[in-house]
Amino acid sequence: MDIAGAGVVVTGAGHGIGAAMARRLAAEGARVVVNDLDADAAGAVAAEVGGTAAPGDAASETGVAVLVERATAALGEIDVFVANAGIDRGRGLDASEADWALSLEVNVMAHVRAARLLVPGWVERGRGRFVVTASAAGLLTMLGSPTYSVTKHGAVAFAEWLSATYGHRGVVVQAICPQGVDTRMLHEAGPAQEVLGRETVLTPEDVAAALVDGLRDDTRFLVLPHPEVGDYYALRATQPDRWLGGMRKLQRRLDEYDAGTRDTTAHDATTKENH
């Protein structure tokens, strides 16, 4: 596609990957609507890129409708919708009902609700593009977070269904699936950072560059900023037992690291108390 002049909406664009996407798309000549729950952040990024701020909830039925309405008013037509907003809430089986419900709302239903409003018009026009930031967790898994893993798998599944159903009618659907990215979410990942290493961590700008490359290739469904994710995905599909064995080894390392951290903390507390 020709990015220059395209009307693009990016959700969750006040910080991190979304902000980098908005900046890069604007630099490529796109007219960008910046959405984020953080109104100040959305306004700041929009002002920086010469775009339009549309702060608000991009997940709820009402919020998505308002966003699409405001973006259409600003752009005339929405050519590309980048469903980037996502959350990581809850850990292990202790993840609460509220964590699960909110994860499903933001990581899956936000995409469904946006597509309901956009796809019919795109089919009528014969063109339109829906991009989901699904994370490598949507192709693989994310140790420690069942809510994130399950809902990101759901995001990929919905994007795949959308492409299969409407791809022949001019609607291009893509899923961008980065692995480690230097964002607030990674910084809050806890021991996983130390155990899994940071050698493959990309910047948000790297992911934005991968998005732009993907937008220029209508035949690509998966956009992989970390190319090695494609190899992991193939292994998972063709050798699931081997794949799960490797994941269990990683989980064991996480467990051992966590236990060691607790022992060190307890020792430090005891030492402090004794002195």
Side-chain angles (χ1 to χ4, degrees), residues 20 38 49 51 58 77 115 142 150 174 200 213 223 239 275:
D38 185 337
V49 304
E77 290 182 339
M142 181 172 172
V150 170
Q174 294 174 303
T200 60
D213 287 343
V223 179
Q239 300 183 58
H275 283 81

Side-chain angles (χ1 to χ4, degrees), residues 193-267:
Q193 292 184 68
E194 304 298 331
V195 174
L196 304 180
R198 297 178 63 88
E199 65 276 9
T200 60
V201 172
L202 300 181
T203 67
E205 290 72 26
D206 293 329
V207 179
L211 169 67
V212 168
D213 287 343
L215 292 178
R216 292 185 172 129
D217 184 356
D218 290 357
T219 65
R220 288 174 62 188
F221 172 67
L222 292 179
V223 179
L224 304 178
H226 296 79
E228 62 268 27
V229 168
D231 296 330
Y232 302 154
Y233 186 42
L235 176 62
R236 174 180 173 271
T238 58
Q239 300 183 58
D241 296 329
R242 180 182 171 192
W243 165 256
L244 284 170
M247 294 303 288
R248 285 192 290 268
K249 288 180 181 178
L250 286 176
Q251 183 62 60
R252 188 178 301 115
R253 290 173 61 193
L254 284 169
D255 292 344
E256 291 169 352
Y257 181 89
D258 188 45
T261 300
R262 287 198 305 270
D263 290 345
T264 299
T265 301
H267 177 269

Side-chain angles (χ1 to χ4, degrees), residues 10-22 32-36 41-42 45-46 84-85:
V10 184
T11 69
H15 305 275
I17 293 173
M21 287 176 168
V32 182
V33 169
V34 179
N35 162 264
D36 202 280
V45 173
N84 171 75

Side-chain angles (χ1 to χ4, degrees), residues 91-183:
R91 286 290 179 270
L93 291 176
D94 292 331
S96 68
E97 292 288 324
D99 291 332
W100 276 102
L102 189 58
S103 296
L104 286 164
E105 284 286 295
V106 178
N107 295 346
V108 180
M109 290 308 299
H111 309 329
V112 175
R113 289 162 180 155
R116 282 176 184 156
L117 298 176
L118 294 167
V119 170
W122 286 344
V123 168
E124 187 174 337
R125 288 166 53 190
R127 60 185 175 85
R129 186 176 303 250
F130 198 92
V131 181
V132 171
T133 301
S135 165
L139 301 176
L140 308 173
T141 195
M142 181 172 172
L143 294 174
S145 181
T147 50
Y148 193 77
S149 297
V150 170
T151 56
K152 287 300 185 177
H153 273 266
V156 172
F158 177 68
E160 187 177 69
W161 177 88
L162 206 60
S163 179
T165 306
Y166 295 101
H168 68 294
R169 303 179 71 180
V171 179
V172 178
V173 183
Q174 294 174 303
I176 184 165
C177 301
Q179 199 168 29
V181 182
D182 188 13
T183 64

